[in-house]
């Protein structure tokens, strides 16, 4: 069937989504949540975008407001984008190069969370970070309204530059958008839909953008439903009941563990299980005893029964044991498990004897160890299990659950002397560096700061150099670079600054009327491409 | 009785005044002044029993507590044995506390229910080091004997006694410090009719045995007359009449005293009622009348009474009255 | 009167200041609380964190920060959440308030009626099996942790017996606004009301019974009976009417703290996004502006209900009227 | 006394009351009998705990039926009160028998105006309009001598002084013109000057309304002032009864002697020491089987261990073993009697 | 009048009223104890408590000898014998999509009597261990609360003036702070970092933290009535009498005020215990009380919450234990109050 026919048949209706809570501001340059990034896909555009398509295809970057993916200049530091013509913001104004320049300035003016990590490579960004109010990005970005082009100058070549332009923080907004957090006021965008109203305690109403004309099915396809109502405040239990009764079409939150069985049997065809580019892991503080000893770190890796953890997460269907940093099916991933009963490509079973022997060698048994988990059912259960394993290894272990919002900053700060914790990492964009470089580079480790994502505090200069090289290589030779990344992954795992546990899968539970469920590995369910009619 | 003027008073007050602030909250300036005792000038001479009578709320207890410095005095002077104690601190008062004691109206409330009699009284002996530790027991026995209780009762708790017995314990405790002056605040009002007389007699006996001076507060005028040598009549915080007991009862000079005495039902008065029935209500001490405090109820009040407050003046050697027109 | 009002006002300001200062200090004593890092988000560059720290004024002395925050909370009312950037806290509190009010108000009606009924019946039947039974029931009500009782109610009404006639009417958890869906409002709140009220019916029933039995020893009850009044009249017009005075004080205090957020367990269990849950979430997230807003609101309510109780007191107890 | 005795109003025969306490059943009233004629003032005197209030409350059926056991016969105008149903009793209470409580401070419900409370009683027994009831309460308040009844009617109890409150209570008791007023220590909580006013009022009311009054007190002075006849209670029994004249001029029971003797006089010479009755009154649990007063009695003898006989002397009678012959002599050793006036 | 008394008063030496010789010197405490001992419902309540306490104390015995499992170790891959068959403790779903893993339910045999929780641990054994913590925390917190409240209340009431002013205002502030919110704020700070008092560091998982927190939050509720009581006592006649006798202030405080306040405090003990058990469970339920893997009834309810629809017994059993304990404590509290101090009311 072709798209037009489907459109004909299924266009219209109101789709109701539900989440336990809203995710804060709807300023696309500030919001940094998977929940709303999913929504921003249908309301905003950047120069580039991840393809609105199924599974791995979703990782593909396609031109959006730009006509095409530009080739970088020779030195890899300059990119020239040509803007599509005739695109209008939802407030009726036409999109120009000035809007693009202003939008990038705004990233710094509103202190976007990634302004320092994603966009600091643009020339002039340093000044903008120091003094955000008067940010010009002088010399970094030039717009030519007449030609409809925008030119970027980078400090260094960047293999992930396109990824960074494709995430919602690089959304293009009208030039006159105030340089402050928009909060609950929707900003005009270019997407197929607009956010008509937003009350974090009640609901978000998303309507069609009257100014929208489809220009790229890959980047910003027209959607099926006329209206999307996103309700906040229903508990997971309530949402499940509502979906079963057809009052709600989809819930954002993961269904609670004790309902999974019911869903999997009675509503099997409404449940969509899809892999995520993410992993749950246990970062071990390599600067604190006993985990400053590599043997201890390896011991834990050997001892953890990843099958048991998969059980805690909801069973084989919902998770897959891993003992590597890069998730399966991710660029750079090559099956290779060091810490299993008989090392090979796959994890098979824990090797308790080896683990105990390593602990014996390290002579650290009996020390006090505290696991810091997030205070939610899954993380707490995993923490409790890890504590149990540490106990088996001979440590005096305890577990502490901390409110999720705090836990993440708490475990990062070396001042808090966290020995090991339960954490998880979801990629921002599909690049091996988004795992390895972010989580384990020396630059990501800042002692005494609540923002120090290298939780293990592991700094290996050799590997740092190798990662830099791999990133440079990927500009020109992605496949070669990915092979490098696989080696780096293994090299890190030899030092075991962290213990990968499993890679989770996403469970989407939709009402019976939802059709055409498309799951992009990048931004998950593509809302606008499902219908309710 | 001898003429008092020739002897030094043991206790003397000069314009003693006590105000309370009621309804006070954490805010400065809130609350109203309650004039509990006003301008009381009084002398108590060694060996006498000064009766203090008046209706409920007239300030008898407050005056009694001021005299023993259980309350701080708002203004005026108070001296004991010639020594000014109006503003003395707890430390300076200690010797005075030994010489002057108070006995309370409610014998149950004035004994700590959680302590044995032995501890209640023994503590006094200890604190003031009145007896070496070894002799304390003997002394306790003596005291119990003095008030007519068996020494075995020392090991009991107050609730195991009857009202009369509790009052005896209270007396024994007061006597423990060997005081010279005892202020007794309605010591018999809470007792049964048939027991009252026992306690009144005990008071008389002790006075003779121990050479005590009493200030005896009561609202039962007959009891006061029985025990007192002199009587002061209080009305709304002030003394309105003061004089020799017998004389005051047989010939009251203040209209209020007159009405008070005539109002007491007496078996012996049966059939001979010549009551002065007062009308009206006792004014509130929060808002006392301007002139003579008795004027609103006084059958003889004139305009002068309503504006000018009479002071306590000696009519003769024996009698003082606060009235413009003494009877 | 004016003086009394002023007094209340000063007291309120004092209490609110005390609480906000307390919360403020607790917040900055908590590790992992660095608001700049949390606002900056995961994987933020140190420079961004610093920029935000400066931008939001987190590098200024605490008293200055406190002052700014109070100004933004009360004067400009544009204080925004640390966790959900851009979320204005004042409207949040205002939109959570009706939910809590609905919950507490309905429960209050239930518990006042229930408490009085239990208390009066037990006092009238003093010493009988009915009295004993009611008092045991009341004690059970007092003894059940409200969150557990709520969970059990959910278990029974949402799952186990949801298919039976008894609970088939029970809607899913969550709140339905009174104005747009009154019947839904009633249905969703009925079980939470009952859950919250169970504890208070127990407390109030017991206290009222004790007060009534005590009142029955009073002279004025004997006078009333000697007047030849019927037992119901003596109970309701004389004993109950006088015992109601302490009852009202208790009610005022309880109502105040519940509206102020003390109903959080009920709200959490029944998925009602009221003040309590908001405060709870804010505390868990260490969302200082939100905590400040909710706690200010709570203390405001507690002080206001106290003031109202004092006024009602004057209405129902002529003795304080003077 | 009256030539032709007025008809019998109340006849109490062998009234016994016991309580169930934690220490078992305790008898507070033992075989009490007395009569009251219309228009008469009978006074019951006795110490605290002698059972005065209990007697009276059991007459009115105001005791707690679960812990109190009442025995005996009480006839009010020929009707047997103890057999009456609660409903009949209620019709009697307040209408035929009015109660004046001991403590005016607590006897009124604090949250209603006194007018409301009086009107409530009137309307409980008569079907009249609220307005008429209010008018009647104003009249009543005027009759009991409140200065400004129209205003006082809207006052709350706490806004009145003790004397005013007691008068309000009396007005309430009078509101249905009861044939019998029971006053339980109506003046004990009052000051003497106010007490005098209230006693005066009671006497006046008897004259105006002709109600009979049972006046309970522990004050012999009050008895002497107002009562026609006196019952002296001790330890749950009436130990002596007679006209006021008789009891005061030649009391028969040693307890009465002690009671009269221990009252200090306001006039005449003061005694050095007051004659006192030694010992303490018993509590209901410790009342001896025989004569209740024996442990404190100077004249107690072996016979006192068993129940003493009722000795009569004209209308006057006493529960005592003492023979009439020895009585005067013994009495003389304790009590000097003044010549009756 | 020659001989004026019927009997001479000084010779009069009769026995105290109603006192039988055997009861000589019976202190008010002993009297109260006697009353409680004769109260049937108090006895029943006390026996229930005794059973619960004994059961909790026997927890290790149960775990070692009866259930034979370690209630603090995850047992995710274990198996046990039920009705002769070996079954997995965590049973993965096999139908449909095969989502979810369910722990074994009540087996009604020594092992896993009440089934397993989500970590595959024996719920029955955890219940007993949980009782230990719940009771310990409630008891210790009660002690702390009463000591602090007595201290504050007595200082405020007895010393008056500026001390009273300051303390009362602080109490005012805490009063307007809903208790649970106060507890949560304190917990979040303390649970994430522990606390250092002088040379002692209390680690964040320590039971001392919930004890301290629960002990503190109710202080205003007890301190206020204590202060009132002290104020009354301070103006009572026996304190005035002591003052008049020249007894030093501190002596009055210790001999006259303190013993009388103690009754009030004792009356609060069972009632506070009851309240604290509920509070502890609420905090643990919100996971800011006892820290995993340690158990308390509250944490077990929380564990059970995720299994509510499949294995309700995990939440039901600890809940019922709480209800029973609190009920018994309340009944006991009532009779203690009746026996010692009929006036005290815990709201
Ligand atoms: N501590 C206090 N605070 C405020 N007012 C008080 C205080 N003590 C006494 N008063 C008031 O002072 C006045 C005098 O009281 P006081 O107790 O001295 O009277 P009294 O003559 O002893 O009365 P009574 O015969 O009833 O004992 C009364 O109006 C009383 O209300
Ligand atoms: N409900 C009751 N239960 C047990 N004992 C009671 C009860 N009511 C009264 N008594 C006892 O009965 C005895 C007589 O009490 P009553 O009140 O009649 O004395 P009274 O003569 O009126 O004394 P008072 O002068 O103090 O009023 C007392 O010892 C009292 O303790
Ligand atoms: Mg007094
Ligand atoms: Mg009586
Ligand atoms: Ni003289």
């Amino acid at each position: 069937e072709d798209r037009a026919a489907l459109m004909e048949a299924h266009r219209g209706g109101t789709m109701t989504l539900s989440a336990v809570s809203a995710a804060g501001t709807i300023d696309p340059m500030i919001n940094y949540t998977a929940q709303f990034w999913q929504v921003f896909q249908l309301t905003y555009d950047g120069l580039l975008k991840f393809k609105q398509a199924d599974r791995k295809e979703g990782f593909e970057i396609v031109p959006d407001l730009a006509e095409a993916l530009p080739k970088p200049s020779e030195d890899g530091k300059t990119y020239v984008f040509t803007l599509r013509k005739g695109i209008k913001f939802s407030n009726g104004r036409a999109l120009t190069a000035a809007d693009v320049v202003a939008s990038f300035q705004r990233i710094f003016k509103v202190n976007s969370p990634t302004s320092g990590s994603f966009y600091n490579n643009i020339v002039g960004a340093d000044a903008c970070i120091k003094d955000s109010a008067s940010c010009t990005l002088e010399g970094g970005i030039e717009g030519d309204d007449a030609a409809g082009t925008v030119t970027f100058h980078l400090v260094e070549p960047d293999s992930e530059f396109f990824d960074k332009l494709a995430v919602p923080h690089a959304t293009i907004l009208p030039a006159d958008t105030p340089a402050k957090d928009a909060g609950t006021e929707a900003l005009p965008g270019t997407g197929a839909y607009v956010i008509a109203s937003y009350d974090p305690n009640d609901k978000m109403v998303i309507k069609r953008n009257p100014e929208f004309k489809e220009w790229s099915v890959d980047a910003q396809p027209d959607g099926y439903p006329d209206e999307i109502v996103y309700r906040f405040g229903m508990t997971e239990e309530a949402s499940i009941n509502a979906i079963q009764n057809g009052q709600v079409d989809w819930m954002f939150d993961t269904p609670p563990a004790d309902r999974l069985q019911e869903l999997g049997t009675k509503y099997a065809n409404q449940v969509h299980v899809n892999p995520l580019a993410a992993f749950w892991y246990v970062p071990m503080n390599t600067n604190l005893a006993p985990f400053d000893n590599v043997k201890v770190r390896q011991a834990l890796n050997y001892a953890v029964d990843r099958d048991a953890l998969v059980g805690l997460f909801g069973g084989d269907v919902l998770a897959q044991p891993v003992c590597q940093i890069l998730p399966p099916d991710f660029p750079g991933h090559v099956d290779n498990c060091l810490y299993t009963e008989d090392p090979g490509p796959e994890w098979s079973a824990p090797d308790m004897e080896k683990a105990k022997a390593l602990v014996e060698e390290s002579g650290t048994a009996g020390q006090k160890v505290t696991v810091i988990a997030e205070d939610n059912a899954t993380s707490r259960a995993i923490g409790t299990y890890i504590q149990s394993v540490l106990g088996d290894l001979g440590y005096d272990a305890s577990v502490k659950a901390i409110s999720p919002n705090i836990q993440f900053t708490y475990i990062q700060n070396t001042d808090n002397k966290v020995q090991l914790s339960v954490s998880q990492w979801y990629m921002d964009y599909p690049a091996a560096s988004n795992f390895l470089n972010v989580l384990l580079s020396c630059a990501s480790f800042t002692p005494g700061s609540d923002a120090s994502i290298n939780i293990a505090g592991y700094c290996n200069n050799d590997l740092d150099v190798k990662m830099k090289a791999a990133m440079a290589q990927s500009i020109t030779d992605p496949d070669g670079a990915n092979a490098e990344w696989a080696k780096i992954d293994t090299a890190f795992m030899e030092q075991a600054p962290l213990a990968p546990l499993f890679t989770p899968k996403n469970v989407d539970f939709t009402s019976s009327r939802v059709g055409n469920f498309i799951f992009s590995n990048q931004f998950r369910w593509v809302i606008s491409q499902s219908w309710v009619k | 009785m001898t003429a008092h003027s020739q002897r030094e008073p043991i206790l003397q007050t000069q314009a003693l005044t006590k105000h309370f602030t009621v309804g006070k909250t954490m805010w400065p300036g809130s609350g109203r002044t309650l004039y509990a005792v006003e301008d009381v000038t009084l002398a108590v001479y060694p060996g006498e029993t000064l009766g203090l009578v008046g209706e409920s709320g007239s300030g008898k207890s407050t005056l009694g507590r001021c005299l023993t410095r259980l309350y701080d005095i708002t203004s005026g002077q108070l001296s004991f044995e010639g020594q000014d104690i109006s503003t003395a601190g707890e430390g300076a008062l200690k010797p005075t506390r030994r010489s002057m004691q108070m006995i309370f109206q409610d014998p149950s409330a004035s004994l700590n229910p959680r302590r044995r009699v032995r501890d209640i009284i023994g503590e006094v002996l200890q604190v003031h080091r009145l007896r070496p530790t070894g002799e304390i027991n003997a002394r306790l026995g003596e005291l119990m004997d003095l008030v007519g209780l068996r020494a075995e009762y020392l090991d009991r708790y107050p609730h195991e006694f009857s009202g009369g017995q509790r009052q005896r314990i209270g007396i024994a405790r007061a006597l423990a410090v060997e005081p010279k002056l005892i202020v007794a605040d309605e010591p018999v009002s809470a007792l049964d009719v048939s027991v009252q007389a026992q306690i009144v007699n005990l008071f008389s006996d002790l006075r003779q045995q121990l050479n005590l001076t009493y200030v005896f507060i009561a609202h039962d005028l007959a009891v006061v007359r029985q025990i007192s040598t002199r009587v002061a009549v209080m009305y709304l915080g002030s003394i309105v009449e003061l004089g020799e007991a017998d004389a005051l009862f047989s010939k009251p000079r203040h209209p209020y005293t007159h009405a008070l005495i005539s109002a007491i039902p007496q078996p012996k008065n049966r059939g001979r009622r010549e009551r002065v029935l007062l009308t009206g209500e006792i004014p509130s001490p929060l808002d006392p009348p301007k002139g003579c405090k008795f004027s609103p109820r006084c059958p003889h009040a004139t305009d002068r009474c309503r504006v000018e407050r009479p002071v306590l003046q000696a009519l003769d050697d024996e009698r003082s009255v606060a009235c413009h027109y003494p009877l | 009167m004016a003086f009394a009002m002023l007094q209340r006002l000063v007291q309120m300001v004092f209490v609110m200041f005390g609480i906000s200062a307390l919360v403020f200090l607790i917040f900055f004593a908590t590790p992992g609380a660095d608001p700049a890092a949390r606002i900056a988000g995961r994987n933020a560059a140190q420079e961004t964190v610093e920029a935000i720290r400066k931008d939001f004024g987190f590098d200024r002395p605490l008293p200055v920060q406190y002052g700014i925050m109070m100004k933004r909370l009360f004067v400009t009312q544009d204080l925004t959440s640390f966790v959900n950037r851009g979320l204005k806290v004042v409207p949040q509190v205002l939109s959570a308030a009706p939910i809590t009010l609905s919950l507490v108000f309905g429960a209050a009606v239930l518990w006042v009626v229930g408490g009085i009924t239990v208390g009066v019946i037990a006092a009238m039947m003093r010493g009988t099996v009915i009295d004993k039974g009611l008092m045991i029931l009341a004690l059970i009500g007092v003894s059940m942790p409200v969150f557990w009782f709520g969970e059990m109610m959910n278990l029974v009404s949402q799952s186990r017996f949801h298919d039976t006639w008894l609970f088939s009417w029970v809607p899913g958890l969550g709140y339905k606004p009174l104005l747009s869906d009154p019947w839904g409002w009633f249905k969703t709140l009925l079980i939470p009301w009952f859950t919250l009220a169970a504890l208070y019916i127990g407390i109030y029933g017991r206290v009222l019974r004790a007060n009534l039995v005590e009142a029955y020893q009073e002279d004025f009850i004997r006078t009333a009976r000697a007047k030849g009044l019927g037992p119901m009249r003596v109970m309701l017009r004389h004993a109950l009417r006088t015992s109601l005075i302490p009852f009202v004080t208790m009610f005022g205090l309880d109502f105040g703290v519940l509206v102020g957020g003390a109903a959080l367990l009920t709200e959490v269990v029944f998925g009602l996004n009221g003040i309590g849950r908001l405060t709870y979430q804010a505390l868990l997230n260490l969302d200082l502006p939100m905590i400040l807003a909710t706690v200010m609101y709570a203390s405001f309510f507690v002080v206001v209900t106290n003031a109202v109780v004092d006024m009602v007191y004057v209405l129902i107890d002529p003795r304080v009227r003077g | 006394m009256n030539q032709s005795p007025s008809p019998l109003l109340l006849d109490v025969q062998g009234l016994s009351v016991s309580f169930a306490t934690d220490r078992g059943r305790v008898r507070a009233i033992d075989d009490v009998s007395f009569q009251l004629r219309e228009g008469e003032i009978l006074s019951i005197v006795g110490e605290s705990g002698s059972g005065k209030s209990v007697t009276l409350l059991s007459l009115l059926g105001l005791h707690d039926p679960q812990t109190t056991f009442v025995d005996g016969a009480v006839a009010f105008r020929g009707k047997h009160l103890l057999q009456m149903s609660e409903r009949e009793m209620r019709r009697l209470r307040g209408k035929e028998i009015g109660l004046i409580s001991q403590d005016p401070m607590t006897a009124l419900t604090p949250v209603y105006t006194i007018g409301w409370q009086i009107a409530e009683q009137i309307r409980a027994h008569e079907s009249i309009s609220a307005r008429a009831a209010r008018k009647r309460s104003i009249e009543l308040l005027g009759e009991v001598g409140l200065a400004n009844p129209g205003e006082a009617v809207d006052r709350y109890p706490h806004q009145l002084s003790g004397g005013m409150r007691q008068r309000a209570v009396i007005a309430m008791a009078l509101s249905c013109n009861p044939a019998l007023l029971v006053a339980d220590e109506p003046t004990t909580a009052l000051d003497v000057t106010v007490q005098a006013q209230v006693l005066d009022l009671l006497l006046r009311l008897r004259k105006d309304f002709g109600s009979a009054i049972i006046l309970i007190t522990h004050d012999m002075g009050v008895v002497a002032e107002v009562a026609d006849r006196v019952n002296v209670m001790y330890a749950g029994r009436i130990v002596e009864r007679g006209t006021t004249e008789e009891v005061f001029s030649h009391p028969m029971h040693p307890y009465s002697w002690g009671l009269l003797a221990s009252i200090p006089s306001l006039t005449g010479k003061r005694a050095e020491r007051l004659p006192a009755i030694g010992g303490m009154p018993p509590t209901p649990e410790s009342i001896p089987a025989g004569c209740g007063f024996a442990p404190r009695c100077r004249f107690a003898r072996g016979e006192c261990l068993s129940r003493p006989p009722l000795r009569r002397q004209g209308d006057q009678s006493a529960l005592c073993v003492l023979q009439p012959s020895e009585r005067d002599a013994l009495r003389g050793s304790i009590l000097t009697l003044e010549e009756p006036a | 009048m020659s001989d004026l008394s019927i009997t001479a008063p000084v010779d009069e030496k009769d026995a105290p009223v109603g006192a039988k010789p055997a009861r000589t010197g019976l202190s008010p405490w002993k009297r109260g104890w006697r009353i409680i001992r004769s109260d049937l419902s108090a006895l029943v309540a006390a026996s229930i408590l005794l059973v619960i306490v004994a059961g909790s104390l026997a927890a290790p015995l149960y775990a070692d000898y009866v259930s034979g499992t370690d209630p603090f170790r995850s047992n995710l891959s274990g198996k046990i014998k039920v009705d002769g068959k070996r079954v997995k403790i965590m049973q993965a779903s096999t139908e449909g999509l095969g989502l979810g893993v369910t722990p074994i339910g009540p087996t009604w045999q020594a092992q896993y009597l009440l089934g397993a929780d989500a970590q595959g641990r024996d719920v029955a054994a955890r219940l007993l261990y949980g009782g230990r913590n719940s009771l310990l925390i409630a008891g210790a917190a009660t002690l702390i609360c009463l000591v602090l409240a007595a201290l504050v209340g007595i200082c405020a009431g007895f010393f008056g003036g500026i001390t009273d002013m300051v303390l009362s205002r602080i109490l005012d502030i805490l009063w307007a702070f809903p208790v649970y919110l106060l507890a949560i704020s304190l917990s979040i700070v303390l649970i994430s970092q522990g606390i250092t008092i002088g040379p002692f560091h209390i680690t964040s998982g320590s039971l001392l933290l919930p004890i301290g927190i629960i002990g503190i939050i109710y202080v205003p509720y007890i301190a206020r009535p204590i202060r009132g009581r002290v104020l009354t006592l301070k103006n009572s006649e026996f304190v005035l009498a002591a003052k008049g006798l020249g007894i030093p202030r501190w002596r009055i405080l210790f001999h006259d005020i303190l013993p009388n306040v103690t009754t009030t405090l004792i009356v609060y003990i069972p009632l506070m215990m009851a309240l604290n058990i509920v509070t502890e469970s609420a905090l643990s339920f919100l996971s800011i009380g006892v820290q995993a893997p340690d158990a308390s009834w509250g944490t077990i309810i929380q564990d059970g919450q995720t299994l509510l629809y499949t294995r309700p017994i995990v939440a039901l059993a600890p809940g019922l234990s709480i209800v029973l304990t609190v009920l018994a404590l309340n009944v006991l509290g009532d009779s203690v109050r009746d026996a010692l101090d009929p006036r005290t009311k815990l709201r």
Side-chain angles (χ1 to χ4, degrees), chain C residues 1-7:
Chain C
M1 199 60 201
F3 183 71
M5 294 280 267
L6 186 77
Q7 204 170 316

Side-chain angles (χ1 to χ4, degrees), chain B residues 1-2 4 48 229-230 244:
Chain B
M1 282 282 143
T2 52
H4 301 296
E48 76 165 341
T229 43
R230 281 194 308 148
E244 205 61 55

Side-chain angles (χ1 to χ4, degrees), chain B residues 159-172:
Chain B
H159 69 88
E160 295 173 275
F161 293 91
S162 72
Q165 290 169 324
R166 279 181 221 163
Q167 194 56 286
R168 286 168 198 263
I169 295 168
I171 295 172

